[in-house]
Amino acid sequence: MIKRGSPDDSERMFARIQAEESRPIDDPDPIKDFPKYGRPLVYVSGIYGKAVGWTHTYGLIEWLDSSGKYHMGWAHSSSIKRVTPEEWKGESGL
C-alpha cells in the first residue's frame, strides 16, 4: 500500500499530470477514472499493468518496469486486454 505523502504518491501524481498533458489529441472525451481499489488488471503490448482511467477510445494504464520505476501512459482501447489475477504477471507494487 502506498501511504499518502510518500515519494511513491508524489511520483504517481506527477506521472498522472504528465499523462494528461500527453493525452492523444484525437480524443476530446472526458477522462473517467476507475476506483482506486479494484482497478482492472490489463495486458498491453508486452506490459502487465492496471487500468487507471479511460475515454471512449483510449485507456490510461499504470505499470512498473523491471527496475521498479513507475510509469503511466495511454493505449488505444483495441490493444488493451483485461486479464485475470492468475494470468497477470505484473509487479505487485502497484
Side-chain angles (χ1 to χ4, degrees), residues 16 30-35 39-40 50-55 58-62 72-75 80:
R16 177 65 185 248
I31 301 168
K32 298 170 200 88
D33 290 324
F34 286 104
R39 291 180 172 158
K50 291 184 179 180
V52 175
W54 79 96
T55 67
Y58 294 92
L60 183 57
I61 310 301
E62 67 176 356
M72 188 177 283
W74 293 97
I80 299 171

Side-chain angles (χ1 to χ4, degrees), residues 18-34:
Q18 286 183 314
E20 288 182 10
E21 289 174 353
S22 67
R23 185 175 170 191
I25 196 163
D26 65 338
D27 189 16
D29 293 337
I31 301 168
K32 298 170 200 88
D33 290 324
F34 286 104

Side-chain angles (χ1 to χ4, degrees), residues 24 27 32 34 39-63 72-84 87-88:
D27 189 16
K32 298 170 200 88
F34 286 104
R39 291 180 172 158
L41 302 174
V42 296
Y43 176 79
V44 183
S45 303
I47 296 171
Y48 287 92
K50 291 184 179 180
V52 175
W54 79 96
T55 67
H56 181 70
T57 313
Y58 294 92
L60 183 57
I61 310 301
E62 67 176 356
W63 72 95
M72 188 177 283
W74 293 97
H76 196 275
S77 59
S78 64
S79 66
I80 299 171
K81 179 185 179 223
R82 282 193 187 208
V83 294
T84 66
E87 295 172 307
W88 196 70

Side-chain angles (χ1 to χ4, degrees), residues 9-21:
D9 194 35
S10 60
E11 184 179 6
R12 286 178 182 220
M13 216 168 27
F14 185 65
R16 177 65 185 248
I17 291 167
Q18 286 183 314
E20 288 182 10
E21 289 174 353

